[in-house]
Amino acid sequence: QDEDEYFHISDLEKERDFNNQVQKYHSNFNFEEYEIDDEEIINGIEEKEENILKNIQQINRNRKEMSKNLYEIHLLLSKQKTGTFLGYLNYLGISKDTAYRLIDMWKLFIDTKKTKVFELTHNVVKQLKSITNENGDNQDIVEVIEADNPTERLKELKKDSKVYSKKQNMTSDDIEKEIKRIDKKIEKKYLEIENLEKEKENLSELL
């Protein structure tokens, strides 16, 4: 009986070892292209890569929560004194550019219901706001969000005048200036909304 139990335990250990091997993480990086064939190096990279990807997933989850919370806080403070939200951002130590990009992420998520929104870079989020669709849907935005390379897909859309309201013969400096100009207008609009909400609240108190 003891001998049977020994072999039974050994079988379990073999099965456990087999499952661990099956579940072992493997990188999709093309090591051969860079002439890397040392198994020790490859195994070391794969182990660390798995941890990096887990951290990225956690960052994206945190970004989603931050986007949602900043969006809701902005709505709450929009009825308060002008500049309150910017003052609150200073208190948190978050730049207004970062905050508004995160808020824009949440708005994109509301519009598209695509969690991949939170994997996008701030630059892509900023440029997505410039997309204008003639038919009024957000299909082009969804295509960018779901693309394997959102930046490249965005570049492709820029070439389509039906998708992008593009000015001809603009240099990179001109484009950057235009983006900054639009950002200032957006900030001004946010302040105007805060003022209107405050005015609305004051009028409601008179009822």
Side-chain angles (χ1 to χ4, degrees), residues 92-132:
L92 290 178
I94 300 175
S95 71
K96 63 182 180 183
D97 184 66
T98 297
Y100 284 127
R101 292 294 160 256
L102 288 168
I103 289 172
D104 289 338
M105 276 186 178
W106 188 255
K107 288 179 179 178
L108 277 176
F109 175 68
I110 292 174
D111 292 339
T112 64
K113 301 297 185 291
K114 301 295 182 182
T115 56
K116 285 192 69 176
V117 162
F118 305 103
E119 299 176 21
L120 301 176
T121 65
H122 283 189
N123 188 47
V124 169
V125 172
K126 180 189 291 186
Q127 293 186 65
L128 279 177
K129 293 179 64 178
S130 302
I131 290 182
T132 55

Side-chain angles (χ1 to χ4, degrees), residues 10-46:
S10 296
D11 289 341
L12 288 176
E13 289 177 344
K14 287 179 181 178
E15 183 179 352
R16 194 158 49 236
D17 289 342
F18 174 76
N19 290 334
N20 288 337
Q21 289 176 5
V22 171
Q23 295 173 4
K24 184 179 183 299
Y25 174 83
H26 291 288
S27 173
N28 290 321
F29 181 74
N30 191 344
F31 291 101
E32 291 183 5
E33 181 179 347
Y34 295 92
E35 301 178 358
I36 301 174
D37 56 10
D38 188 318
E39 287 298 321
E40 186 175 349
I41 292 175
I42 293 174
N43 289 336
I45 290 174
E46 286 182 331

Side-chain angles (χ1 to χ4, degrees), residues 44-150:
I45 290 174
E46 286 182 331
E47 180 181 345
K48 292 171 176 58
E49 179 181 312
E50 184 177 16
N51 291 331
I52 289 172
L53 293 179
K54 287 179 180 178
N55 288 332
I56 289 175
Q57 290 174 353
Q58 184 61 48
I59 289 170
N60 290 334
R61 284 194 291 269
N62 292 342
R63 185 179 290 173
K64 180 179 179 181
E65 288 301 313
M66 280 190 67
S67 297
K68 179 178 184 292
N69 289 327
L70 282 171
Y71 172 81
E72 293 177 349
I73 288 173
H74 180 262
L75 289 180
L76 290 171
L77 294 182
S78 65
K79 298 180 181 180
Q80 306 306 312
K81 178 181 176 181
T82 302
T84 300
F85 183 63
L86 294 180
Y88 185 73
L89 292 180
N90 289 333
Y91 157 74
L92 290 178
I94 300 175
S95 71
K96 63 182 180 183
D97 184 66
T98 297
Y100 284 127
R101 292 294 160 256
L102 288 168
I103 289 172
D104 289 338
M105 276 186 178
W106 188 255
K107 288 179 179 178
L108 277 176
F109 175 68
I110 292 174
D111 292 339
T112 64
K113 301 297 185 291
K114 301 295 182 182
T115 56
K116 285 192 69 176
V117 162
F118 305 103
E119 299 176 21
L120 301 176
T121 65
H122 283 189
N123 188 47
V124 169
V125 172
K126 180 189 291 186
Q127 293 186 65
L128 279 177
K129 293 179 64 178
S130 302
I131 290 182
T132 55
N133 297 280
E134 289 188 343
N135 56 6
D137 63 27
N138 59 9
Q139 183 58 40
D140 299 305
I141 293 175
V142 171
E143 285 184 14
V144 173
I145 294 171
E146 294 187 328
D148 292 333
N149 190 329

